[in-house]
Amino acid sequence: MNNEKKREVKVINVPKRKKPLATPSYIIRIAMIVCFVICILLLSSPFLSAKLYITKDLEITSSVSEAYREVATQEEVDNAEKELQNALNSLEKIEKTESSQAEVEENTVGLSSANYKWSYKVSQGVDASSLAELIDKARNTNKREYTSESVSVLNKSILNAQKTLCASVLLEQSVLQMAMGGAIGESVGNVKSLGSAISHSLFSFILGGVPLVCFITLCFDKSRHIKHIVCMIGAVACLVIIFAVLYPYVGTGAVVSIIMYIIICVLNLAGVYAKQQEDYIIKHPEKEPEFTEKHPQFVKALINYKAFVKYAEEPEIKHKKKKKK
């Protein structure tokens, strides 16, 4: 029989790599990142919401008290339909020029980028379905193909038909829609109080850019206080814009964003306090017993420092001393 040599197998226990403990400042930073992600996702939801009405003088208003509320008879509905149909038939085509096309686009782009829902009020027994369909047809007409005079007559007829039906419209815009197409107030120049409340689309870029900048700052800045300064300024700036520019025409997205930015401000202050306490215990390790008894959550920072930072720095110090010798 052949003598088989037994191979000796040495088992080396490789210690598992330790993970740093989740300190309060780390948990708060992750919570703030989640909050800013929610704020970014809310940019596609309605930030601006306004209900508009037709006045007796064929103007547009956001005030309910100024809205035209006299319910029309069947004869008045039929007359409004005939007037609108005549205005449609009287449209005069023109050659497309760059100047006229740009002018019409400037006046309609804000409204085209918004979501709107019309509602009409008529008395019982009055049939206004054909007039409502005609209004939709007239409103969707490509007005860039016709002369400004004929389009002006058509717009007046549309407003008169909508006044006859006691029309109201709910306009909603997200921050992304405002950034791409302008605010509602820019497209409807004669809206009372709304036109002065809605500023330039620059504010929409701020509302969209600030949470993104804060999110990136929180992702890359893990140990400094700069992230707290950036996030506090950003959150306060967004709150000021929402209240100063959009209020009282705030939509669902704006309301939820207000709540999120308030939460971010509270978390930010808590993060500043947590970071200060953690830095203090790292600089004063002799107070570890006291902190362990009163604030054990902050001692995690000292444990992480001893396990990962301190021992990583010691070999470098020893190596430098050998070089000097």
Side-chain angles (χ1 to χ4, degrees):
M1 292 178 66
N2 296 328
N3 293 327
E4 296 180 355
K5 294 182 179 180
K6 295 182 179 180
R7 296 180 179 178
E8 293 182 1
V9 179
K10 292 183 179 180
V11 179
I12 301 174
N13 294 324
V14 180
K16 293 183 179 180
R17 188 178 180 182
K18 294 181 179 179
K19 293 183 178 180
L21 299 175
T23 59
S25 62
Y26 172 81
I27 296 172
I28 292 171
R29 185 174 70 89
I30 297 301
M32 290 176 66
I33 288 175
V34 173
C35 290
F36 276 112
V37 169
I38 295 173
C39 291
I40 293 172
L41 294 176
L42 287 171
L43 297 178
S44 59
S45 60
F47 252 68
L48 187 147
S49 180
K51 195 163 188 179
L52 307 179
Y53 306 91
I54 310 296
T55 66
K56 185 177 181 181
D57 300 328
L58 300 182
E59 293 183 353
I60 302 174
T61 180
S62 58
S63 175
V64 183
S65 59
E66 298 178 8
Y68 184 79
R69 288 301 183 188
E70 294 181 13
V71 182
T73 61
Q74 186 65 56
E75 183 180 357
E76 290 174 333
V77 171
D78 294 338
N79 291 335
E81 184 178 355
K82 290 178 183 178
E83 180 185 347
L84 183 55
Q85 187 63 60
N86 291 334
L88 278 171
N89 297 334
S90 302
L91 286 173
E92 299 177 1
K93 284 194 173 184
I94 58 171
E95 295 182 0
K96 292 182 180 179
T97 59
E98 295 181 359
S99 60
S100 61
Q101 185 175 355
E103 183 180 356
V104 176
E105 285 179 353
E106 184 182 356
N107 294 330
T108 58
V109 68
L111 189 58
S112 63
S113 66
N115 301 322
Y116 51 92
K117 183 179 180 181
W118 289 90
S119 59
Y120 304 110
K121 183 179 179 182
V122 294
S123 59
Q124 189 175 4
V126 174
D127 183 15
S129 57
S130 57
L131 179 57
E133 292 176 1
L134 191 60
I135 291 174
D136 292 336
K137 179 182 176 182
R139 198 170 58 245
N140 295 326
T141 302
N142 189 359
K143 299 175 183 178
R144 291 174 292 179
E145 299 179 355
Y146 304 98
T147 61
S148 59
E149 292 81 6
S150 59
V151 169
S152 178
V153 174
L154 177 63
N155 289 337
K156 188 175 181 180
S157 300
I158 292 174
L159 286 174
N160 184 60
Q162 291 171 336
K163 185 196 79 169
T164 303
L165 298 181
C166 298
S168 62
V169 58
L170 178 64
L171 292 175
E172 292 182 332
Q173 267 190 326
S174 66
V175 173
L176 296 178
Q177 287 175 323
M178 282 189 275
M180 292 184 294
I184 293 173
E186 296 175 4
S187 62
V188 187
N190 58 344
V191 178
K192 295 179 180 179
S193 73
L194 181 63
S196 59
I198 306 303
S199 295
H200 244 255
S201 56
L202 172 64
F203 292 109
S204 62
F205 285 102
I206 296 175
L207 287 174
V210 165
L212 183 61
V213 171
C214 294
F215 170 78
I216 295 173
T217 305
L218 284 168
C219 289
F220 288 97
D221 184 9
K222 299 179 180 180
S223 58
R224 297 179 298 174
H225 280 287
I226 296 177
K227 60 179 174 290
H228 298 298
I229 299 173
V230 173
C231 292
M232 182 60 75
I233 293 174
V236 172
C238 289
L239 287 173
V240 170
I241 289 174
I242 292 173
F243 282 106
V245 180
L246 298 180
Y247 186 82
Y249 309 103
V250 290
T252 307
V255 173
V256 179
S257 294
I258 290 171
I259 297 173
M260 296 309 303
Y261 285 124
I262 292 174
I263 294 174
I264 287 171
C265 290
V266 175
L267 288 174
N268 199 38
L269 294 175
V272 172
Y273 174 75
K275 189 68 175 64
Q276 288 176 341
Q277 293 297 312
E278 290 168 7
D279 291 343
Y280 181 80
I281 187 61
I282 289 173
K283 292 179 180 178
H284 300 83
E286 68 279 1
K287 294 191 176 183
E288 182 178 355
E290 180 185 345
F291 267 69
T292 303
E293 183 181 354
K294 296 182 179 180
H295 309 288
Q297 64 275 14
F298 296 125
V299 182
K300 294 178 181 178
L302 180 60
I303 297 172
N304 289 340
Y305 178 78
K306 289 180 178 180
F308 298 96
V309 181
K310 187 177 180 181
Y311 291 111
E313 292 175 351
E314 283 182 356
E316 295 181 2
I317 296 171
K318 292 178 180 178
H319 183 67
K320 288 180 181 179
K321 287 181 178 178
K322 286 181 179 180
K323 279 186 176 182
K324 288 180 180 179
K325 289 180 181 179

